[in-house]
Amino acid sequence: MGGVNAVAAWLGDCAREFARRADELDELDRLLGDADHGTNMRRGTEAAGAIDLSETRTAAEALRKVGMALVSTVGGASGPLFGTFFLRTGAAWPSQVTTAGVARAMRAGLDAVVIRGRAREGDKTMVDALAPAVRALESAAAAGQDLSEALPAAAAAAERGRDATRDMVARRGRAALKADTSVGVIDPGAVSVAIIVTTAATHVR
């Protein structure tokens, strides 16, 4: 995603995907938490998609607006965590979009999520999809790949991380209260990360 128009197009796709999969995410969250993750993410991405970006000058500013919308409209722990990711990623977003610059921005977002959520890989959270995606971007940058190659690779890494949560024991948040029955269920936050990165990969500039 290079410019404001790309962010706006991604927001539309992202909101539609969360609307389509809200029930699926709620069902996963019913098994692990409050049964409202999909509803909350649908509401948050709808609000983000409704942002007027006509006077927004940079993708960095647009991403920060997305973060603020998610913080203010997504309930539970997801709002602050996903909102923090976009706020910090937006703050670090490069003026000249390169794979290395996007990798640094997403690393900043990941680090902020880890600090705020006090989660690490293996805890069965959104971090388990986000961290592999960031590492894939960093590897692509080191290999000199452009974003048209790097972001789809990051999306594939996020999807693998998402799927790996099925065999993990939940250790953070409300899901940890159901640790004994959490194995066999994919973490809905990890699913949401995969949706976000996969839809973003279709709007690379």
Side-chain angles (χ1 to χ4, degrees), residues 89-111:
T89 298
W93 196 257
S95 56
Q96 296 295 322
V97 177
T98 63
T99 301
V102 172
R104 285 192 295 270
M106 288 187 62
R107 171 62 68 178
L110 169 62
D111 288 347

Side-chain angles (χ1 to χ4, degrees), residues 83-172:
T84 292
F85 172 74
F86 280 102
L87 285 168
R88 290 298 297 273
T89 298
W93 196 257
S95 56
Q96 296 295 322
V97 177
T98 63
T99 301
V102 172
R104 285 192 295 270
M106 288 187 62
R107 171 62 68 178
L110 169 62
D111 288 347
V113 168
V114 169
I115 291 170
R116 181 148 199 170
R118 299 190 298 278
R120 58 186 178 183
E121 285 184 82
D123 284 347
K124 200 182 182 90
T125 72
M126 65 183 286
V127 171
D128 290 299
L130 187 55
V134 171
R135 284 198 299 272
L137 280 173
E138 291 170 338
S139 295
Q145 295 178 352
D146 63 26
L147 274 176
S148 65
E149 299 174 280
L151 205 45
E159 291 172 350
R160 289 192 296 270
R162 170 202 66 196
D163 293 345
T165 65
R166 186 190 303 274
D167 297 325
M168 296 176 185
V169 176
R171 295 190 176 93
R172 301 301 307 173

